[in-house]
Amino acid sequence: MKKVILVLGGAGYIGSHTSYLLSKLGYEVIIIDKLLHSQTFNHPWAKLIKADFTNEEVLNFVFDKFEIEAVMHFAAFIEVGESVKRPADFYENNVVKTLKFLNFMMKKKVKKIIFSSSCAVYGDPIKIPMDENHPKDPVSPYGKNKLVVEYALQDYADAYGLQYVSLRYFNASGALPDQNLGEQHNPETHIIPLMLRAIKNKKTFKIFGTDYDSVDGTCVRDYIHVLDIANAHILALQYLDKNGKSDCFNLGTGNGFTVQQMINAAQKVTGQKLITQNHPRRAGDSTALVADYSKAKKILGWEPKNSDLDFILKTAWAWERKIQNFKQEEL
Ligand code: UDP
């Protein structure tokens, strides 16, 4: 019989790619997602229940009907800048609801969870690349949300036997356009889709901050293909199945690119000019975030295989050209 994985936020960007991979590898995938971004999701390889992941009626139905092997939790508010403006919403959705869900899992005796954490738990770098022991001093409510949940996971593991893997993503990027999968945030705040849409629609792309301590003054990020992230979830699941110790792992490439370098690369891949305009720093942004992923390599056997920057941008560009219904006001 197929093992059942419950995926919270499985219709979102990273969740949908991971759900696809799970189903391809023979798992039964049940998704709970409220379609926050009004995204379309009509893939045959998963069952989608449109609901909030703390809806008790839905949870009772799902946990009673299916023998759930493990949960993957992607359902979160993700915009760092927004989290600075609306911390109450972010704490409610990302922390309070997650704790409520964990309590439900414990009640139903489902003990395995893979949690979507973030490199935002680290804050500004003391050293680059950052390993998992880097000091945690998040500079945004979003980063703090993720850290609070990580502490809760540790405590639940100690007290209630929860088994967890927390995956600290660096910058998820790229797409699987052939599977009709890619980024569909509404509003979109991420650099790659915004750059590509600006190119496609001949609009201006805003550079947030040109006075950072980097080679050209713009922020440094580590871009990791969403398929590599999806693959890490499968390895994390297999690791927990073998009674691996609950732990946190960085998922990145170890290579950092500035915003300006990303602009140059996007122009190269698309063969078109990107019009840019300098703006002040965006609140909550850390100067540089680059992963040391050696722990994930050693313990999970994971490494990035699809995260060459050209491939990331090519797949993202193919996806952007595929989806027709851009909302102009997003730009
Ligand atoms: N960025 C930018 N202009 C944009 C969107 C993002 O200059 O329109 C910068 C942002 O300040 C950060 C980097 O691109 O330095 C990556 O931001 P993104 O929102 O994609 O990911 P984050 O690192 O916040 O998760």
Side-chain angles (χ1 to χ4, degrees):
M1 220 173 68
K2 286 185 170 188
K3 285 185 177 170
V4 182
I5 310 298
L6 174 61
V7 185
L8 310 178
Y13 176 38
I14 305 173
S16 62
H17 288 77
T18 306
S19 295
Y20 163 72
L21 198 57
L22 280 167
S23 104
K24 207 173 139 193
L25 294 173
Y27 293 92
E28 180 166 356
V29 182
I30 313 289
I31 293 175
I32 300 180
D33 193 304
K34 64 179 168 193
L35 301 179
L36 183 70
H37 302 282
S38 319
Q39 69 269 45
T40 46
F41 189 93
N42 47 16
H43 297 284
W45 35 257
K47 288 190 183 72
L48 170 71
I49 300 171
K50 188 181 170 191
D52 188 277
F53 71 91
T54 52
N55 179 322
E56 285 213 18
E57 205 182 319
V58 168
L59 290 181
N60 274 315
F61 167 77
V62 170
F63 279 77
D64 293 347
K65 184 168 161 73
F66 300 98
E67 195 180 319
I68 294 165
E69 170 71 19
V71 175
M72 294 191 182
H73 178 19
F74 298 91
F77 291 168
I78 55 162
E79 308 87 0
V80 172
E82 269 306 295
S83 79
V84 178
K85 294 182 204 149
R86 299 189 289 119
D89 294 342
F90 276 68
Y91 275 92
E92 171 66 22
N93 194 69
N94 295 354
V95 178
V96 175
K97 285 189 179 183
T98 296
L99 296 183
K100 205 172 158 193
F101 180 84
L102 285 179
N103 295 341
F104 193 90
M105 270 180 76
M106 296 303 93
K107 195 172 91 185
K108 295 289 181 182
K109 305 205 177 336
V110 172
K111 292 285 167 98
K112 290 183 196 139
I113 187 163
I114 297 168
F115 176 63
S116 301
S117 187
S118 166
C119 59
V121 298
Y122 298 119
D124 276 321
I126 306 290
K127 78 176 180 72
I128 291 282
M130 301 157 137
D131 65 18
E132 289 78 358
N133 293 322
H134 185 283
K136 277 90 189 158
D137 192 7
V139 292
S140 67
Y142 170 75
K144 290 175 191 165
N145 291 170
K146 294 292 178 184
L147 194 54
V148 171
V149 173
E150 284 199 1
Y151 283 131
L153 290 171
Q154 257 172 37
D155 291 337
Y156 278 50
D158 292 344
Y160 310 132
L162 179 74
Q163 293 173 272
Y164 73 89
V165 167
S166 182
L167 297 173
R168 295 179 183 154
Y169 314 150
F170 283 63
N171 285 60
S173 49
L176 285 182
D178 296 346
Q179 300 302 328
N180 283 324
L181 290 170
E183 252 180 299
Q184 289 190 72
H185 299 120
N186 184 15
E188 187 52 76
T189 58
H190 290 126
I191 180 171
I192 293 178
L194 288 178
M195 280 190 321
L196 297 177
R197 286 176 199 185
I199 287 177
K200 189 167 181 289
N201 299 316
K202 308 222 176 315
K203 301 269 179 163
T204 303
F205 172 76
K206 297 175 182 168
I207 300 175
F208 294 138
T210 50
D211 58 348
Y212 284 101
D213 181 14
S214 72
V215 284
D216 53 30
T218 62
C219 273
V220 175
R221 293 288 181 273
D222 180 342
Y223 296 88
I224 174 89
H225 197 285
V226 64
L227 184 56
D228 285 329
I229 296 185
N231 196 35
H233 287 75
I234 309 293
L235 294 171
L237 192 59
Q238 292 168 350
Y239 169 79
L240 287 182
D241 278 347
K242 283 184 257 157
N243 279 321
K245 189 174 137 306
S246 293
D247 214 336
C248 305
F249 299 95
N250 284 343
L251 300 181
T253 67
N255 298 316
F257 295 96
T258 65
V259 171
Q260 188 57 54
Q261 288 165 341
M262 294 300 287
I263 292 168
N264 300 343
Q267 294 186 132
K268 193 182 121 218
V269 164
T270 60
Q272 295 181 47
K273 177 115 186 77
L274 173 58
I275 311 157
T276 64
Q277 199 175 53
N278 294 345
H279 282 254
R281 294 180 177 203
R282 189 175 66 175
D285 272 348
S286 165
T287 307
L289 294 164
V290 181
D292 175 338
Y293 68 87
S294 47
K295 185 175 168 190
K297 185 172 179 184
K298 186 168 165 224
I299 297 178
L300 298 179
W302 175 86
E303 54 186 332
K305 294 194 172 135
N306 304 283
S307 295
D308 171 79
L309 193 55
D310 262 18
F311 182 71
I312 286 176
L313 288 166
K314 273 182 191 152
T315 54
W317 182 230
W319 168 249
E320 287 301 334
R321 280 179 301 169
K322 199 161 191 170
I323 47 173
Q324 299 297 318
N325 53 345
F326 291 148
K327 295 186 181 74
Q328 294 299 318
E329 67 269 23
E330 281 176 32
L331 290 170

